[in-house]
Amino acid sequence: MNKTKKKWAVSSAAIMIALSLAACGGGNKKSASSNDSGKAKLSAVYKNSDKANKSANEKSTLKVAEPNDSPFKGVSEPTLADNQEDSNVFEPGGRGTLFKTDDNYKIVDGGLADQKLDRKKNTVTITIRKNAKWSDGQPVVARDVEYPYEIIGGPKSTSSQYSSDFERIKGMADFHKGKADTISGFTYPDGEDGKKVVIQYNSLSPSMKFSGNSFVWSTAAPYHYYKGIPIDKLAASDQVRKKPIFVGPYKLDKLVDGESTSWSPNKYYWGKAPKIKHVTINVVSSNSIDKAIQTKKYDFTTPAGVMRGQSYKNLKKLKNYQMVGLPALSYNYFGFNVGEYDTELQKNVMDKNSKMANKSLRQAMMYAIDEDAINKKFGNGIKWRAKTLIPPVFDKYADTSAKGFPYDQKKANKLLDNAGYKKKGKWRTQPNGKPLVIHFGAMQGSATSHATYEDYLQRWHKVGLNVKMAGGKEMEMNSFYDTIQKPKQNKVDIYSAAWSTSSEPTPTQLYGEDAPFNMGHFVSKKNTQLMNDMNSEKAWNDSYRKDKFKEWQEYMNDQAAYVASDNSYQWGPVNKRVKGYDVSPSHTIDFWKDLSLTSAKLK
């Protein structure tokens, strides 16, 4: 399991709570604000007091389900993966994770590598443990720590992880623009095959103390295994897609494209050997996952896999499973298409004449839907309406005073009227009098997520907005992201999706001017300045940093180019034959190796 990674897109179709909307389509003009009283009470640890069974660990198979309504893409390299599902199915291999953290995601010693910050010299020194090896037996070396920056920052890279934050590294900007063949800010005191890397920055950031920040990449990449492959071809290579190697407790034995991965212990693992000898991870659809757990086909779902509110209701009373979870780093959101990505400038560009450029239109669409009513009736304590783009798990920086967009049909109508979106018959027109048709993009999933989208459409229709499903129907997940990730597209005007964010809340990689993940292409000087302020020299004063986070959240709610729709728990059912299950942040790097079984069969 890896919760300390960078930002990834996830299937919002899978993340949606289950609901039957005919029951909550009342005529209230406003909804009551949500509160914490109905939230489920979950622990991040399942404390199983039973003794481990040596025979079960050696001969039985740990069976894990990946809840997903589409095949996974199969991109094993973290720098190139752009969805959480790929991360989930390769987690037993450790995904190259460098750092151990405490429960606040602060980097501490004891991982694959240790980190040291020097504010006087503006350097970050990363020291790899001496016994670290890849699953092919080759040592993890300094070049492996540097190479991810080349993959992410290369001028022809296909990675979605780049942002201007990396340009604090000396020479990164020139490398990214193709003006230099190497990143000059990297030096190797003991040579490229040594165990130490020194990175020279223009200035350090307080976020660097935490794993998942947008300045120091948190995984290694096997340079000896990738070298010779052009970076723009790496994502499609056999080394990434068919025969990847890893540094974690398990090595990959078998990969069935889009369906499953199978694992056995990695004899070169630097840590204590894992107890379980066989692990499989299989994709299971959201419509089938509850029955699969009820019939004891799986020990647990992937720790970062998406489990819905209705599943919690259906599974929480099972005698042979324990529900385990913690507040999620992920969230659902709406994005509006307001521009394009300029491939020459490698920046997002706003189009002031785009269909969704008017913020009053965007705000009105958010006030017109009722997330509170949906979650109150069907969230089952697992989901609740989001107030800002910073998840509440970051309690130091999340703005608890924000109201977000509670349902207010009257306000939605007023915003549209005042902005010139006048009704002409059933539907409103654009301020210039031309017809207005808005295309809504969403991913296909369960019948209940389909009902959710239908409710959105109905509520938008009530305020006179002619909103239709893009392409006439929900989209398969991979096709959905292929569409909205195009540099320029006009098929989708507003979309529903989800992020799996990193364990450090700086939003540059999601909403920055040069961020490929900024798929709605919202850009403004104020947005850029506020995000830069979050990690400026002044931001070492945490009070100043908190103020900038709050100011950014207020600004983004006002602009409504991106709006978080709901927050949730990251949870899953764990069969009671499993021992050592612990998803707390301090245990991330040890999760898979510490698991064991107490019986040969699921209980």
Coordinates of all heavy atoms in Angstrom, one line a residue, residues 65-115:
A65 N -8.9 -8.1 -3.7 CA -9.8 -7.6 -4.7 C -9.5 -6.2 -5.0 O -9.3 -5.4 -4.1 CB -11.2 -7.8 -4.4
E66 N -9.4 -5.8 -6.3 CA -9.3 -4.4 -6.7 C -10.6 -4.0 -7.2 O -11.0 -4.4 -8.3 CB -8.2 -4.3 -7.7 CG -8.2 -3.0 -8.6 CD -8.1 -1.7 -7.8 OE1 -7.7 -1.7 -6.6 OE2 -8.5 -0.7 -8.3
P67 N -11.4 -3.2 -6.5 CA -12.7 -2.7 -7.0 C -12.5 -1.8 -8.1 O -12.0 -0.7 -7.9 CB -13.3 -2.1 -5.8 CG -12.4 -2.4 -4.6 CD -11.1 -2.6 -5.2
N68 N -13.0 -2.1 -9.3 CA -12.8 -1.3 -10.5 C -13.7 -1.8 -11.6 O -13.9 -3.0 -11.8 CB -11.3 -1.3 -11.0 CG -11.0 -0.3 -12.0 OD1 -11.8 0.7 -12.1 ND2 -9.9 -0.4 -12.6
D69 N -14.3 -0.8 -12.3 CA -15.3 -1.1 -13.3 C -14.6 -1.2 -14.7 O -15.3 -1.3 -15.7 CB -16.4 -0.2 -13.3 CG -17.3 -0.3 -12.1 OD1 -17.8 -1.5 -11.9 OD2 -17.5 0.6 -11.3
S70 N -13.3 -1.0 -14.8 CA -12.6 -1.1 -16.0 C -11.3 -1.9 -15.8 O -10.8 -2.0 -14.7 CB -12.2 0.3 -16.5 OG -13.3 1.1 -16.8
P71 N -10.7 -2.5 -16.9 CA -9.4 -3.1 -16.7 C -8.4 -2.1 -16.3 O -8.5 -0.9 -16.7 CB -9.1 -3.6 -18.2 CG -10.4 -3.6 -18.9 CD -11.2 -2.5 -18.3
F72 N -7.4 -2.5 -15.5 CA -6.3 -1.5 -15.2 C -5.4 -1.4 -16.4 O -5.3 -2.4 -17.2 CB -5.6 -1.9 -13.9 CG -4.9 -3.3 -14.0 CD1 -3.7 -3.5 -14.6 CD2 -5.5 -4.4 -13.4 CE1 -3.1 -4.7 -14.6 CE2 -4.9 -5.6 -13.4 CZ -3.7 -5.8 -14.0
K73 N -4.8 -0.3 -16.6 CA -3.9 0.0 -17.7 C -2.6 -0.9 -17.7 O -2.1 -1.3 -18.7 CB -3.5 1.5 -17.8 CG -4.6 2.4 -18.3 CD -4.1 3.8 -18.5 CE -5.1 4.7 -19.1 NZ -4.5 6.1 -19.3
G74 N -2.1 -1.1 -16.5 CA -0.9 -1.9 -16.4 C 0.4 -1.1 -16.4 O 1.5 -1.7 -16.8
V75 N 0.4 0.2 -16.1 CA 1.6 1.0 -16.0 C 2.2 0.8 -14.6 O 1.7 1.4 -13.7 CB 1.3 2.5 -16.3 CG1 2.6 3.3 -16.3 CG2 0.7 2.6 -17.7
S76 N 3.3 0.1 -14.5 CA 3.9 -0.2 -13.2 C 4.8 0.9 -12.7 O 5.0 1.0 -11.4 CB 4.6 -1.5 -13.2 OG 5.8 -1.4 -14.1
E77 N 5.3 1.7 -13.5 CA 6.2 2.8 -13.1 C 5.5 4.0 -12.6 O 4.7 4.6 -13.2 CB 7.1 3.2 -14.3 CG 8.0 4.4 -14.1 CD 8.9 4.3 -12.9 OE1 9.5 3.3 -12.7 OE2 8.9 5.3 -12.2
P78 N 5.8 4.3 -11.3 CA 5.0 5.4 -10.6 C 5.1 6.7 -11.3 O 4.1 7.5 -11.3 CB 5.6 5.5 -9.2 CG 6.2 4.1 -9.0 CD 6.7 3.6 -10.3
T79 N 6.2 7.1 -11.9 CA 6.3 8.3 -12.6 C 5.4 8.5 -13.8 O 5.1 9.6 -14.3 CB 7.8 8.6 -13.1 OG1 8.2 7.5 -13.9 CG2 8.7 8.7 -11.9
L80 N 5.0 7.3 -14.3 CA 4.2 7.3 -15.6 C 2.7 6.9 -15.4 O 1.9 7.2 -16.2 CB 4.8 6.4 -16.6 CG 6.2 6.7 -17.1 CD1 6.9 5.6 -17.8 CD2 6.2 8.0 -17.9
A81 N 2.5 6.3 -14.2 CA 1.1 6.0 -13.9 C 0.2 7.2 -13.7 O 0.7 8.1 -13.0 CB 1.0 5.1 -12.7
D82 N -0.9 7.2 -14.2 CA -1.8 8.4 -14.0 C -3.2 8.0 -13.4 O -4.1 8.8 -13.4 CB -2.0 9.2 -15.3 CG -2.6 8.4 -16.4 OD1 -3.0 7.3 -16.2 OD2 -2.6 8.9 -17.6
N83 N -3.3 6.8 -12.9 CA -4.5 6.4 -12.2 C -4.2 5.5 -11.0 O -3.2 4.8 -11.0 CB -5.5 5.8 -13.1 CG -5.1 4.4 -13.7 OD1 -5.1 3.5 -12.9 ND2 -4.6 4.4 -14.9
Q84 N -5.0 5.6 -10.0 CA -4.8 4.9 -8.7 C -4.9 3.4 -8.9 O -4.2 2.6 -8.2 CB -5.8 5.4 -7.7 CG -5.7 4.8 -6.3 CD -4.4 5.1 -5.7 OE1 -4.0 6.3 -5.6 NE2 -3.7 4.2 -5.1
E85 N -5.7 3.0 -9.9 CA -5.9 1.5 -10.1 C -4.6 0.8 -10.4 O -4.4 -0.3 -9.9 CB -7.0 1.3 -11.1 CG -8.4 1.7 -10.7 CD -8.7 3.2 -10.7 OE1 -7.9 4.0 -11.3 OE2 -9.7 3.6 -10.1
D86 N -3.8 1.4 -11.3 CA -2.5 0.8 -11.6 C -1.6 0.7 -10.3 O -0.9 -0.3 -10.1 CB -1.8 1.7 -12.7 CG -2.2 1.3 -14.1 OD1 -2.9 0.3 -14.2 OD2 -1.8 2.0 -15.0
S87 N -1.6 1.8 -9.6 CA -0.9 1.7 -8.3 C -1.3 0.6 -7.4 O -0.5 -0.2 -6.9 CB -1.0 3.1 -7.6 OG -0.4 3.0 -6.3
N88 N -2.6 0.4 -7.3 CA -3.1 -0.6 -6.4 C -2.7 -2.0 -6.7 O -2.3 -2.8 -5.8 CB -4.7 -0.6 -6.4 CG -5.2 0.7 -5.8 OD1 -4.5 1.5 -5.1 ND2 -6.5 1.0 -6.0
V89 N -2.7 -2.4 -8.0 CA -2.4 -3.8 -8.4 C -1.0 -4.1 -8.3 O -0.6 -5.3 -8.4 CB -3.0 -4.1 -9.7 CG1 -4.5 -4.0 -9.7 CG2 -2.4 -3.3 -10.9
F90 N -0.1 -3.1 -8.2 CA 1.4 -3.3 -8.1 C 1.9 -3.0 -6.8 O 3.1 -3.1 -6.6 CB 2.1 -2.5 -9.2 CG 1.8 -2.9 -10.6 CD1 1.2 -2.1 -11.5 CD2 2.2 -4.1 -11.1 CE1 0.9 -2.4 -12.8 CE2 2.0 -4.5 -12.4 CZ 1.3 -3.7 -13.2
E91 N 1.1 -2.7 -5.8 CA 1.5 -2.3 -4.4 C 2.4 -3.4 -3.7 O 3.3 -3.0 -3.0 CB 0.4 -1.9 -3.6 CG -0.2 -0.6 -3.9 CD 0.8 0.6 -3.6 OE1 1.8 0.3 -3.1 OE2 0.4 1.7 -4.0
P92 N 2.2 -4.7 -3.9 CA 3.0 -5.6 -3.1 C 4.5 -5.5 -3.5 O 5.4 -5.9 -2.7 CB 2.5 -7.0 -3.5 CG 1.0 -6.7 -3.8 CD 1.0 -5.4 -4.5
G93 N 4.8 -4.9 -4.7 CA 6.2 -4.8 -5.1 C 6.8 -3.5 -4.5 O 8.0 -3.3 -4.7
G94 N 6.1 -2.7 -3.8 CA 6.7 -1.6 -3.1 C 6.7 -0.3 -3.9 O 7.0 0.8 -3.4
R95 N 6.6 -0.5 -5.2 CA 6.5 0.7 -6.1 C 7.7 1.7 -6.0 O 7.6 2.8 -6.3 CB 5.2 1.5 -5.9 CG 4.0 0.6 -6.0 CD 3.4 0.6 -7.4 NE 3.0 1.9 -7.8 CZ 2.7 2.3 -9.1 NH1 2.9 1.4 -10.1 NH2 2.3 3.5 -9.4
G96 N 8.8 1.2 -5.5 CA 10.0 2.0 -5.5 C 10.0 3.0 -4.4 O 10.9 4.0 -4.4
T97 N 9.1 2.9 -3.4 CA 9.0 3.9 -2.4 C 10.3 4.1 -1.5 O 10.8 3.1 -1.0 CB 7.8 3.5 -1.4 OG1 6.7 3.4 -2.2 CG2 7.7 4.6 -0.3
L98 N 10.7 5.3 -1.4 CA 12.0 5.6 -0.8 C 11.9 5.8 0.8 O 12.7 5.3 1.5 CB 12.6 6.9 -1.3 CG 13.1 6.8 -2.8 CD1 13.5 8.2 -3.3 CD2 14.3 5.9 -2.9
F99 N 10.8 6.5 1.2 CA 10.8 7.0 2.6 C 9.8 6.4 3.5 O 8.7 6.1 3.1 CB 10.6 8.5 2.5 CG 11.5 9.3 1.6 CD1 11.1 10.1 0.6 CD2 12.9 9.2 1.8 CE1 11.9 10.8 -0.2 CE2 13.8 9.9 1.0 CZ 13.3 10.7 0.0
K100 N 10.2 6.3 4.7 CA 9.3 5.9 5.8 C 8.7 7.2 6.4 O 9.4 8.2 6.4 CB 10.0 5.1 6.9 CG 9.2 4.6 8.0 CD 10.0 3.8 9.0 CE 9.2 3.3 10.2 NZ 8.0 2.4 9.8
T101 N 7.5 7.2 6.9 CA 6.9 8.4 7.5 C 6.3 8.0 8.8 O 6.1 6.9 9.2 CB 5.8 8.9 6.6 OG1 4.6 8.1 6.6 CG2 6.2 9.1 5.1
D102 N 6.0 9.1 9.6 CA 5.2 8.9 10.8 C 3.7 9.1 10.4 O 3.4 9.2 9.3 CB 5.6 9.9 11.9 CG 5.4 11.4 11.5 OD1 4.6 11.7 10.6 OD2 5.9 12.3 12.2
D103 N 2.9 9.1 11.4 CA 1.4 9.1 11.2 C 0.9 10.5 10.6 O -0.2 10.6 10.2 CB 0.6 8.7 12.4 CG 0.6 7.2 12.6 OD1 0.8 6.5 11.6 OD2 0.5 6.7 13.7
N104 N 1.8 11.5 10.6 CA 1.5 12.8 10.0 C 2.1 12.9 8.7 O 2.2 14.0 8.1 CB 1.9 13.9 11.0 CG 1.1 13.9 12.2 OD1 -0.1 13.9 12.2 ND2 1.8 14.0 13.4
Y105 N 2.6 11.8 8.1 CA 3.3 11.8 6.8 C 4.6 12.5 6.8 O 5.2 12.7 5.7 CB 2.4 12.3 5.7 CG 1.0 11.6 5.6 CD1 -0.1 12.2 6.1 CD2 1.0 10.3 5.0 CE1 -1.3 11.5 6.0 CE2 -0.2 9.7 4.9 CZ -1.4 10.2 5.4 OH -2.6 9.6 5.3
K106 N 5.2 12.8 7.9 CA 6.5 13.4 8.0 C 7.6 12.3 7.8 O 7.5 11.2 8.3 CB 6.7 14.1 9.3 CG 8.0 14.9 9.4 CD 8.1 15.6 10.8 CE 9.4 16.4 10.8 NZ 9.5 17.1 12.1
I107 N 8.5 12.7 6.9 CA 9.6 11.7 6.6 C 10.5 11.5 7.8 O 11.0 12.4 8.4 CB 10.4 12.2 5.4 CG1 9.5 12.3 4.1 CG2 11.6 11.3 5.2 CD1 10.2 12.9 3.0
V108 N 10.7 10.2 8.1 CA 11.6 9.8 9.2 C 12.6 8.7 8.7 O 12.4 8.2 7.6 CB 10.8 9.2 10.4 CG1 9.8 10.2 11.0 CG2 10.0 8.0 10.0
D109 N 13.6 8.5 9.4 CA 14.6 7.5 9.0 C 14.0 6.1 9.1 O 13.1 5.9 9.9 CB 15.9 7.6 9.9 CG 16.7 8.9 9.6 OD1 16.4 9.6 8.6 OD2 17.6 9.2 10.4
G110 N 14.6 5.2 8.3 CA 14.2 3.8 8.4 C 13.6 3.2 7.2 O 13.2 2.0 7.2
G111 N 13.5 4.0 6.1 CA 12.9 3.4 4.8 C 14.0 2.9 3.9 O 15.1 2.5 4.3
L112 N 13.7 2.8 2.6 CA 14.7 2.4 1.6 C 15.8 3.4 1.6 O 16.9 3.0 1.3 CB 14.0 2.3 0.3 CG 14.9 1.9 -0.9 CD1 15.3 0.5 -0.8 CD2 14.1 2.1 -2.2
A113 N 15.4 4.6 1.9 CA 16.4 5.7 1.9 C 16.1 6.7 3.0 O 14.9 6.8 3.4 CB 16.5 6.4 0.6
D114 N 17.0 7.5 3.4 CA 16.8 8.6 4.4 C 17.0 9.9 3.7 O 17.8 10.0 2.7 CB 17.7 8.4 5.6 CG 17.4 7.2 6.4 OD1 16.3 6.7 6.4 OD2 18.4 6.7 7.1
Q115 N 16.4 10.9 4.2 CA 16.5 12.3 3.7 C 17.0 13.3 4.7 O 16.7 13.2 5.8 CB 15.1 12.7 3.2 CG 15.1 14.2 2.7 CD 13.7 14.6 2.3 OE1 13.2 14.4 1.2 NE2 13.0 15.2 3.3

